[in-house]
Amino acid sequence: MRAIHLSLDRRKSRDGATRVKLDLALTAKFFASVREADFDLDGAIAALQSTHRQMAELLTPTGFRERGAA
């Protein structure tokens, strides 16, 4: 209802959900809420890097790992 009231551009996505293009004021409000959220970005990056290392180790051929470790 708010999107219609503010005459914001709306489009139906392929997944069936309707998306609304935010105006400048709503975009600023969205970014402010993201900045205020208690989100540990550094922790999330470290967790992703750790998972990547673990997955890479699993995909490394055993023989190659043994030769490289010597």
Side-chain angles (χ1 to χ4, degrees):
M1 296 306 290
R2 187 172 182 181
I4 292 170
H5 176 72
L6 295 173
S7 299
L8 299 176
D9 186 28
R10 295 175 292 139
R11 298 197 186 232
K12 193 156 195 148
S13 298
R14 292 182 185 181
D15 63 2
T18 300
R19 305 281 196 264
V20 176
K21 188 183 279 187
L22 301 178
D23 62 7
L24 185 60
L26 289 173
T27 302
K29 188 173 184 175
F30 170 76
F31 282 125
S33 70
V34 170
R35 279 190 215 108
E36 292 171 1
D38 186 21
F39 183 70
D40 182 15
L41 185 58
D42 291 331
I45 291 170
L48 283 171
Q49 289 172 334
S50 174
T51 302
H52 179 266
R53 272 193 302 278
Q54 292 171 7
M55 291 175 74
E57 288 173 6
L58 292 173
L59 295 174
T60 302
T62 306
F64 181 73
R65 203 175 327 142
E66 290 174 1
R67 280 183 271 155

